[in-house]
Amino acid sequence: HEAQWLERYAELKKYRRDHGDTLVPKHYPVYPFLGRWVDKQRFDFKRFMAKKKLEECDEIEDPEEIEELERLASLSTGMTEERVRLLDAEDFIWDPFNHAWEQKYNEFCMFVRMNGHTAIRSRRKGYDPLARWAEIQRKNYRKKIDGEKTTLTQERIDKLERIGFLWDNRGMETRPPAKAARTAAGKELKSTI
């Protein structure tokens, strides 16, 4: 299996050289097995990290977290410290969903820096995808408040609040002054670069 793993790894390196990232689509004709292999590395990494966390952390108090970690740790994985090191050397994106969120967040910080406010709406030319992203954050925030399951973590809420994100964009009275919004967005952008 090691030779096959190294073959896929070499393909990943070529893909990254050609595309600038490791976000290989599931079906990539040039390397037909690479997309599935990349997905498997991500799943194996989750299992690997769950085992590590269970071994290293005695102070996990949340029973649901313990149960999920034990479930993941019980699954077999081919991931090793050496494979993690090799993939990290290629700037492997372990969590494409978080990566996409961070990219949109950085885009949003640029919008705030350029416009001095966070009240983005879809009718602003060129900002429709970003406005949709902002609206999804608002919807997820309402879900979180209502106790529903959501992908919006407290860490993400804190990041958005640091730049004066409007959770309800119908009223502008909660908008921070333009200079403060620009400064906060600039600081956030610098911290992610």
Side-chain angles (χ1 to χ4, degrees), residues 15 18-19 24-35:
Y15 180 91
D18 294 344
H19 299 277
V24 182
K26 283 199 191 314
H27 304 288
Y28 184 64
V30 178
Y31 305 116
F33 302 108
L34 185 58

mmCIF file of all heavy atoms in Angstrom, residues 15 18-19 24-35:
data_model
loop_
_atom_site.group_PDB
_atom_site.id
_atom_site.type_symbol
_atom_site.label_atom_id
_atom_site.label_comp_id
_atom_site.label_asym_id
_atom_site.label_seq_id
_atom_site.Cartn_x
_atom_site.Cartn_y
_atom_site.Cartn_z
ATOM 1 N N TYR A 15 -0.642 18.035 -9.190
ATOM 2 C CA TYR A 15 -1.902 18.779 -9.205
ATOM 3 C C TYR A 15 -1.701 20.147 -8.544
ATOM 4 O O TYR A 15 -2.128 21.174 -9.078
ATOM 5 C CB TYR A 15 -3.008 17.995 -8.489
ATOM 6 C CG TYR A 15 -4.324 18.733 -8.485
ATOM 7 C CD1 TYR A 15 -5.249 18.538 -9.504
ATOM 8 C CD2 TYR A 15 -4.632 19.662 -7.480
ATOM 9 C CE1 TYR A 15 -6.453 19.234 -9.523
ATOM 10 C CE2 TYR A 15 -5.826 20.359 -7.490
ATOM 11 C CZ TYR A 15 -6.726 20.143 -8.512
ATOM 12 O OH TYR A 15 -7.905 20.847 -8.542
ATOM 13 N N ASP A 18 0.156 22.537 -10.710
ATOM 14 C CA ASP A 18 -0.643 23.031 -11.834
ATOM 15 C C ASP A 18 -1.807 23.932 -11.406
ATOM 16 O O ASP A 18 -2.215 24.816 -12.157
ATOM 17 C CB ASP A 18 -1.213 21.852 -12.638
ATOM 18 C CG ASP A 18 -0.120 21.035 -13.327
ATOM 19 O OD1 ASP A 18 1.019 21.533 -13.447
ATOM 20 O OD2 ASP A 18 -0.421 19.893 -13.723
ATOM 21 N N HIS A 19 -2.365 23.701 -10.211
ATOM 22 C CA HIS A 19 -3.587 24.407 -9.794
ATOM 23 C C HIS A 19 -3.403 25.330 -8.594
ATOM 24 O O HIS A 19 -4.305 26.109 -8.283
ATOM 25 C CB HIS A 19 -4.701 23.398 -9.488
ATOM 26 C CG HIS A 19 -5.069 22.572 -10.677
ATOM 27 N ND1 HIS A 19 -5.948 23.019 -11.634
ATOM 28 C CD2 HIS A 19 -4.655 21.345 -11.079
ATOM 29 C CE1 HIS A 19 -6.067 22.089 -12.583
ATOM 30 N NE2 HIS A 19 -5.294 21.070 -12.260
ATOM 31 N N VAL A 24 -8.637 18.928 -4.896
ATOM 32 C CA VAL A 24 -8.845 18.065 -6.058
ATOM 33 C C VAL A 24 -10.320 17.676 -6.147
ATOM 34 O O VAL A 24 -10.892 17.198 -5.163
ATOM 35 C CB VAL A 24 -7.980 16.785 -5.959
ATOM 36 C CG1 VAL A 24 -8.152 15.906 -7.193
ATOM 37 C CG2 VAL A 24 -6.515 17.138 -5.736
ATOM 38 N N PRO A 25 -10.950 17.872 -7.316
ATOM 39 C CA PRO A 25 -12.343 17.424 -7.441
ATOM 40 C C PRO A 25 -12.432 15.903 -7.367
ATOM 41 O O PRO A 25 -11.468 15.193 -7.667
ATOM 42 C CB PRO A 25 -12.771 17.937 -8.817
ATOM 43 C CG PRO A 25 -11.544 18.345 -9.522
ATOM 44 C CD PRO A 25 -10.443 18.502 -8.528
ATOM 45 N N LYS A 26 -13.596 15.414 -6.979
ATOM 46 C CA LYS A 26 -13.777 13.951 -6.861
ATOM 47 C C LYS A 26 -13.472 13.240 -8.172
ATOM 48 O O LYS A 26 -12.912 12.163 -8.185
ATOM 49 C CB LYS A 26 -15.194 13.627 -6.423
ATOM 50 C CG LYS A 26 -15.431 13.868 -4.963
ATOM 51 C CD LYS A 26 -16.653 13.131 -4.481
ATOM 52 C CE LYS A 26 -17.105 13.509 -3.129
ATOM 53 N NZ LYS A 26 -16.152 13.609 -2.084
ATOM 54 N N HIS A 27 -13.866 13.839 -9.276
ATOM 55 C CA HIS A 27 -13.637 13.238 -10.594
ATOM 56 C C HIS A 27 -12.704 14.150 -11.377
ATOM 57 O O HIS A 27 -13.121 15.188 -11.881
ATOM 58 C CB HIS A 27 -14.965 13.049 -11.337
ATOM 59 C CG HIS A 27 -15.947 12.239 -10.549
ATOM 60 N ND1 HIS A 27 -15.805 10.889 -10.357
ATOM 61 C CD2 HIS A 27 -17.066 12.601 -9.875
ATOM 62 C CE1 HIS A 27 -16.803 10.447 -9.607
ATOM 63 N NE2 HIS A 27 -17.580 11.464 -9.293
ATOM 64 N N TYR A 28 -11.442 13.760 -11.428
ATOM 65 C CA TYR A 28 -10.430 14.528 -12.128
ATOM 66 C C TYR A 28 -9.799 13.615 -13.169
ATOM 67 O O TYR A 28 -9.019 12.717 -12.822
ATOM 68 C CB TYR A 28 -9.388 15.056 -11.124
ATOM 69 C CG TYR A 28 -8.342 15.936 -11.740
ATOM 70 C CD1 TYR A 28 -8.690 17.152 -12.315
ATOM 71 C CD2 TYR A 28 -7.011 15.559 -11.757
ATOM 72 C CE1 TYR A 28 -7.736 17.969 -12.886
ATOM 73 C CE2 TYR A 28 -6.046 16.364 -12.321
ATOM 74 C CZ TYR A 28 -6.415 17.569 -12.882
ATOM 75 O OH TYR A 28 -5.464 18.369 -13.452
ATOM 76 N N PRO A 29 -10.150 13.786 -14.437
ATOM 77 C CA PRO A 29 -9.747 12.837 -15.486
ATOM 78 C C PRO A 29 -8.240 12.610 -15.629
ATOM 79 O O PRO A 29 -7.805 11.512 -15.966
ATOM 80 C CB PRO A 29 -10.311 13.444 -16.771
ATOM 81 C CG PRO A 29 -11.207 14.534 -16.374
ATOM 82 C CD PRO A 29 -10.942 14.881 -14.954
ATOM 83 N N VAL A 30 -7.442 13.636 -15.357
ATOM 84 C CA VAL A 30 -5.991 13.484 -15.513
ATOM 85 C C VAL A 30 -5.452 12.429 -14.558
ATOM 86 O O VAL A 30 -4.617 11.600 -14.939
ATOM 87 C CB VAL A 30 -5.275 14.841 -15.301
ATOM 88 C CG1 VAL A 30 -3.767 14.692 -15.421
ATOM 89 C CG2 VAL A 30 -5.792 15.887 -16.287
ATOM 90 N N TYR A 31 -5.920 12.456 -13.334
ATOM 91 C CA TYR A 31 -5.560 11.456 -12.315
ATOM 92 C C TYR A 31 -6.865 10.909 -11.743
ATOM 93 O O TYR A 31 -7.365 11.408 -10.735
ATOM 94 C CB TYR A 31 -4.701 12.074 -11.201
ATOM 95 C CG TYR A 31 -3.455 12.755 -11.685
ATOM 96 C CD1 TYR A 31 -3.282 14.132 -11.521
ATOM 97 C CD2 TYR A 31 -2.456 12.030 -12.318
ATOM 98 C CE1 TYR A 31 -2.131 14.760 -11.967
ATOM 99 C CE2 TYR A 31 -1.302 12.663 -12.765
ATOM 100 C CZ TYR A 31 -1.140 14.025 -12.592
ATOM 101 O OH TYR A 31 -0.008 14.655 -13.033
ATOM 102 N N PRO A 32 -7.423 9.886 -12.344
ATOM 103 C CA PRO A 32 -8.781 9.442 -11.992
ATOM 104 C C PRO A 32 -8.982 8.978 -10.545
ATOM 105 O O PRO A 32 -10.100 9.008 -10.046
ATOM 106 C CB PRO A 32 -9.059 8.301 -12.962
ATOM 107 C CG PRO A 32 -7.827 8.055 -13.732
ATOM 108 C CD PRO A 32 -6.842 9.119 -13.423
ATOM 109 N N PHE A 33 -7.922 8.556 -9.866
ATOM 110 C CA PHE A 33 -8.078 8.067 -8.492
ATOM 111 C C PHE A 33 -7.712 9.112 -7.445
ATOM 112 O O PHE A 33 -7.904 8.897 -6.256
ATOM 113 C CB PHE A 33 -7.231 6.811 -8.278
ATOM 114 C CG PHE A 33 -7.577 5.708 -9.231
ATOM 115 C CD1 PHE A 33 -6.712 5.365 -10.258
ATOM 116 C CD2 PHE A 33 -8.788 5.032 -9.116
ATOM 117 C CE1 PHE A 33 -7.041 4.354 -11.147
ATOM 118 C CE2 PHE A 33 -9.121 4.032 -9.996
ATOM 119 C CZ PHE A 33 -8.246 3.688 -11.019
ATOM 120 N N LEU A 34 -7.204 10.249 -7.885
ATOM 121 C CA LEU A 34 -6.663 11.239 -6.958
ATOM 122 C C LEU A 34 -7.746 11.872 -6.079
ATOM 123 O O LEU A 34 -7.548 12.037 -4.877
ATOM 124 C CB LEU A 34 -5.887 12.328 -7.708
ATOM 125 C CG LEU A 34 -5.169 13.349 -6.844
ATOM 126 C CD1 LEU A 34 -4.165 12.671 -5.910
ATOM 127 C CD2 LEU A 34 -4.462 14.377 -7.723
ATOM 128 N N GLY A 35 -8.887 12.242 -6.630
ATOM 129 C CA GLY A 35 -9.942 12.888 -5.850
ATOM 130 C C GLY A 35 -10.419 12.025 -4.694
ATOM 131 O O GLY A 35 -10.574 12.500 -3.567
#
